[in-house]
């Protein structure tokens, strides 16, 4: 037997060493516009891919937001069919009031149809194009290698492929939307989705979009899992990783293990629609509940693909702006994995009204399990804040807003997880408010926290703190104004997905619409702030907030193409603020770590053994 | 073909430039080639996990439909000829052997055997598809044993037999697509083997593709009894 040689090579052979001599900021342009565009379009740099994802996601967020505003405008007034009696002629005529989408007098049905398409478009864009990739693909791509002291993610070309798959998937969705949109709801529930507008390609195109986007998500997740396993800096054990990385790791595992199931589900849905093979449609003796199981087997875990990255961000933001070691590091880290694991066994709570009683009872009990790791995280964040040196930047305001809104979102989830209560609340605005408090109040708010905190790192420019805080308060007030009334009308019985309603809900709907426009104002303030920062912002120092993770201590703002001048070595934990900074240092007064050229290892004030 | 002579090292006598597999280096974000190899292999295994989950949806489809329409499945599967399935099983099993042998050849630098085994794997994949299309898909197409609205087969015994054909075409179709991708990968590697890409220091693609090929094979090992043998 010949022995199998391992693919080793000589340690000194490092072909890229010469690159470091002229290693500029990753944002530096390479010649003219065409050259720059080609450079970005073919880049395998995780930072550039992250930035491209960031702007794509923000653009889609804008489109999805427009659809949401359209929904709120339609709901500002209920649709009323009026009998107008004309005394002069003795005739009564019928007219419709309060209908925005189909102004043409009497055709309520057409208006409702448009309404169905608009809210479906909102849901599809926000779920598949915005919230799923929002944090992992943008901030995650940018930060994960930096936090691990790596030069890139494990598979840079796969990363670029993932970006292009995202673009192609977006095209399928936008083409379908431009062709008139679909009215299936974002869940594509059968048999409606297989029979609505028979023969039209746009439903297939929309389903195909979600199918394609799934591959983008899988590739990102796969890349992240391998990166975390294989590319940690020397000296960085699993429990020396920043909690952001732990959150991303949990997210990536769900992306890898759950997304293939939606892939095959949507493929079968397309086959059902094209060939009527009879798997999901009861009229063809298929089983519609089977679709619901398939769909939620992915789509419930993916809820945690949406929220875990938000939690990951909050762990970092709260630690840095409290300048305090995260309370219960291991508990927070393991709770990410616990959430990822539990997420796979609770899908049945979306089927309480369509599955058997025993299954519903079991799934209800399992659902309450998710509350445990989520609460562990919230209590640990509060424990971190306690006696911290809190610095109320925009990012910190958003993090505090997250604690408030996510707690409401999480606690109302318990109502929905309880079988008896859910039968009353099922398909009402209570559900809508609940998941917006988690998805938007949780993920989007956390994303805004992270975006503000890492903005100087990503673009090398500071943003205007006053404008940021103004934006935060508009968003925070607008958000609560939009969604809190929906809890109340949900409990009172207002069903979701209707273009009209009884007069008793009028005040809540009007408050909600006003809130939606307040939200718009808040996000526009942020848009102005970011644009102003890119154009005129003060140049950012490498470590404006005094963070201790590698992207702050060892990389420039913005980082260089190869991230670090030399491979960083971990000399302290990610949150050892007490050890690294002298105790008298106040926010804004810290001097460590210094932004020196070349190797930048943080000097540790007092020798210590790492407590982990 | 002299290039196919067995047990020759990859480097031709007198050629000044060493083959690519000896000079190629690792990507800049890895410490060395071992590091890169480990990462790539882990990535492939994760990808295989996604493949298992993808096919698990089809197996659930089978279980649910069989539970709903047992009689239709019983008669439907009796319309398949198990002999073609058996032949295809043998073809795929043999190709899994040549795929594994190709990995070994690359590790040991046996360039001639490597090329031969890559070619054999590719051809076996093609043979699988040819048998599938010529002796199974095409006659079924003619007989109207098609999914959904295209189903025109007159001699059904159970009114729900159309479900059986929906499942048959979906499951074997998704599997055949995977075989097709594998054939492409093996053809690509066959060409690259002539350019000297693979050797003891560089065989990740050979090994990764072989792993993929094995999972495609294993899926068929489950599909064959489920579709052809269980009545």
């Amino acid at each position: 037997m010949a022995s199998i040689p391992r693919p080793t090579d000589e340690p000194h052979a490092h072909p890229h060493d010469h690159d470091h001599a002229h290693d500029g900021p990753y944002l530096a342009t390479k010649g003219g516009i065409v050259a720059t565009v080609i450079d970005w379009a073919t880049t395998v740099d995780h930072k550039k891919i992250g930035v491209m994802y960031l702007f794509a996601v923000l653009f889609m967020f804008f489109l999805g937001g427009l659809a949401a505003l359209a929904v709120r405008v339609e709901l500002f007034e209920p649709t009323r069919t009026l009998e107008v009696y004309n005394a002069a002629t003795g005739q009564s005529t019928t007219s419709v009031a309060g209908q925005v989408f189909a102004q043409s007098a009497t055709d309520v049905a057409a208006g409702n149809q448009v309404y169905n398409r608009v809210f479906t478009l909102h849901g599809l864009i926000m779920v598949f194009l915005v919230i799923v990739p929002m944090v992992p693909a943008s901030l995650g791509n940018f930060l994960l290698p930096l936090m691990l002291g790596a030069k890139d993610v494990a598979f840079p070309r796969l990363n670029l492929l993932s970006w292009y798959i995202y673009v192609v998937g977006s095209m399928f969705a936008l083409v379908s939307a431009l062709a008139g949109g679909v009215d299936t709801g974002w869940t594509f529930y059968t048999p409606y989705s297989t029979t609505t507008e028979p023969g039209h390609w746009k439903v297939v195109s929309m389903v195909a979009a979600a199918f394609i986007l799934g591959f983008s998500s899988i590739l990102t997740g796969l890349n992240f899992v391998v990166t975390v396993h294989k590319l940690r800096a020397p000296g960085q054990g699993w429990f020396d990783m920043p909690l952001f990385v732990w959150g991303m790791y949990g997210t990536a595992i769900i992306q890898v293990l759950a997304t293939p199931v939606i892939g095959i589900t949507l493929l079968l849905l397309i086959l059902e629609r094209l060939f009527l093979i009879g798997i999901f449609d009861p009229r063809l003796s298929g089983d519609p509940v089977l679709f619901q199981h398939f769909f939620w087997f992915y789509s419930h875990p993916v809820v945690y693909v949406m929220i875990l990255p938000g939690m990951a961000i909050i762990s970092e933001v709260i630690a840095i702006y409290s300048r305090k070691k995260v309370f219960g590091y291991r508990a927070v880290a393991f709770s990410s994995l616990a959430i990822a694991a539990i997420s796979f066994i609770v899908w049945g709570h979306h089927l309480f009204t369509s599955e058997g009683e025993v299954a519903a009872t079991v799934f209800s009990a399992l659902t309450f399990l998710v509350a445990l790791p989520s609460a562990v995280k919230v209590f640990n964040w509060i424990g971190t804040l306690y006696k911290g040196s809190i610095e109320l930047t925009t990012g910190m305001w958003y993090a505090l807003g997250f604690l408030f809104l996510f707690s409401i979102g999480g606690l109302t989830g318990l109502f929905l997880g309880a079988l008896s209560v859910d039968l009353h609340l099922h398909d009402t605005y209570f559900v809508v408010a609940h998941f917006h408090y988690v998805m938007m109040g949780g993920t989007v708010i956390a994303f805004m926290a992270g975006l503000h905190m890492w903005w100087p790192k990503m673009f090398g420019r500071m943003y205007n703190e006053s404008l940021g805080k103004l934006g935060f308060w508009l968003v925070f007030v607008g958000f609560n104004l939009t969604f809190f009334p929906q809890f109340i009308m949900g409990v009172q019985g207002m069903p979701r997905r209707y273009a009209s309603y009884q007069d008793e809900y009028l005040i809540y709907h009007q408050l909600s619409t006003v809130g939606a426009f307040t939200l718009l104002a808040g996000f526009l303030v942020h848009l102005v702030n970011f644009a102003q920062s890119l154009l005129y912002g003060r140049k950012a120092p490498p470590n404006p907030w005094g963070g201790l993770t590698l992207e702050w201590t060892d990389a420039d703002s913005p980082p260089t193409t190869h991230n670090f001048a030399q491979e960083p070595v971990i000399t302290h934990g990610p949150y050892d603020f007490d050890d690294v900074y002298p105790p008298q240092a106040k926010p804004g007064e810290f001097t460590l770590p210094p932004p020196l050229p070349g190797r930048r290892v943080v000097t540790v004030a007092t020798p210590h053994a790492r407590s982990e | 073909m002299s290039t196919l002579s067995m047990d020759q090292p990859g480097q031709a006598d007198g050629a000044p430039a060493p083959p690519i597999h000896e000079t190629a280096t690792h990507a800049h974000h890895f410490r060395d080639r071992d590091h890169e190899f480990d990462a790539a292999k882990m990535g492939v295994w994760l990808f295989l996990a996604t493949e298992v989950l993808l096919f698990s949806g089809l197996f659930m489809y089978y279980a649910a439909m069989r539970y709903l329409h047992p009689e239709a499945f019983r008669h439907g599967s009796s319309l398949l000829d198990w002999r073609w399935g058996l032949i295809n099983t043998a073809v795929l099993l043999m190709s899994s052997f040549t795929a594994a042998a190709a990995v070994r050849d690359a590790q040991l630098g046996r360039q001639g055997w490597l090329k031969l085994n890559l070619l054999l794997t590719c051809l076996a994949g093609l043979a699988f598809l040819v048998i599938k299309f010529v002796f199974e898909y095409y006659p079924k197409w003619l007989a109207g044993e098609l999914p959904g609205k295209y189903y025109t087969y007159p001699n059904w015994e159970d009114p729900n037999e159309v479900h059986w054909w929906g499942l048959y075409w979906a499951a074997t179709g998704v599997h055949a697509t995977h075989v097709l991708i594998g054939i492409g990968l093996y053809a690509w590697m066959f060409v690259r083997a002539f350019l000297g890409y693979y050797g003891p220091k560089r065989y990740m693609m050979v090994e990764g593709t072989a792993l993929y090929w094995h999972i495609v094979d294993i899926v068929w090992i489950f599909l064959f009894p489920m579709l052809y043998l269980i009545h």
Side-chain angles (χ1 to χ4, degrees), chain A residues 28 31 55 64 97 113 160 172 182 251 306 341 343 363 392 399 415 495 594 599:
Chain A
F55 285 109
Q113 185 75 350
L160 183 65
F172 272 78
V182 299
T251 308
M306 303 174 195
S343 76
F363 277 120
L392 284 173
F415 292 70
R599 191 179 196 93

Side-chain angles (χ1 to χ4, degrees), chain A residues 169-347:
Chain A
S170 308
M171 291 301 159
F172 272 78
L174 289 183
V175 164
S176 172
L178 289 176
V182 299
D183 60 349
T184 58
W186 80 272
T187 51
F188 299 121
Y189 263 27
T190 54
Y192 191 71
S193 61
T194 54
T195 51
T196 179
E197 298 179 85
H200 202 294
W201 54 268
K202 65 189 176 186
V203 180
V204 173
S205 174
M206 193 59 95
V207 177
F211 175 75
I212 294 167
L213 289 164
F215 287 99
S216 166
S217 186
I218 289 175
L219 292 184
T220 302
L222 193 151
N223 228 331
F224 282 11
V225 171
V226 178
T227 305
V228 171
H229 272 267
K230 299 292 180 190
L231 290 180
R232 296 193 306 279
Q236 190 174 38
W238 280 87
F239 297 108
D240 303 317
M241 296 195 308
L243 287 167
F244 181 79
V245 178
W246 274 102
M248 281 298 142
Y249 183 66
T251 308
I253 287 176
I254 305 176
Q255 283 179 303
V256 170
L257 294 185
T259 319
V261 179
I262 196 71
I264 193 69
T265 308
L266 295 176
L267 197 62
L268 289 174
L269 182 60
I270 291 174
L271 293 179
E272 172 85 335
R273 198 177 156 81
L274 292 179
F275 305 131
L276 305 175
I277 58 174
I279 166 167
F280 298 135
D281 189 340
R283 278 168 298 189
L284 306 169
S285 44
D287 186 356
V289 181
L290 183 66
F291 177 83
Q292 297 180 19
H293 279 290
F294 271 29
F295 183 83
W296 289 111
F297 185 83
Y298 160 78
S299 293
H300 193 80
V302 92
V303 164
Y304 298 97
V305 166
M306 303 174 195
I307 191 63
L308 268 177
M311 295 168 159
I313 289 174
I314 294 303
S315 300
E316 296 298 318
V317 174
I318 284 185
I320 284 191
Y321 292 135
S322 305
R323 299 173 47 67
K324 190 157 162 281
K325 197 181 184 74
V326 167
F327 185 81
Y329 172 94
R330 289 196 183 210
V332 179
F334 280 125
S335 64
S336 291
L337 296 187
I339 289 174
I342 296 171
S343 76
F344 280 97
I345 52 173
V346 298
W347 80 89

Side-chain angles (χ1 to χ4, degrees), chain A residues 592-606:
Chain A
L592 295 172
L596 295 174
R599 191 179 196 93
R600 276 160 296 177
V601 176
V602 178
T603 325
V604 178
T606 48

Side-chain angles (χ1 to χ4, degrees), chain A residues 78 494 500-506 509:
Chain A
M494 171 76 206
S500 184
Y501 49 84
Q502 310 265 306
D503 282 347
E504 61 188 287
Y505 303 117
L506 182 69
H509 272 297

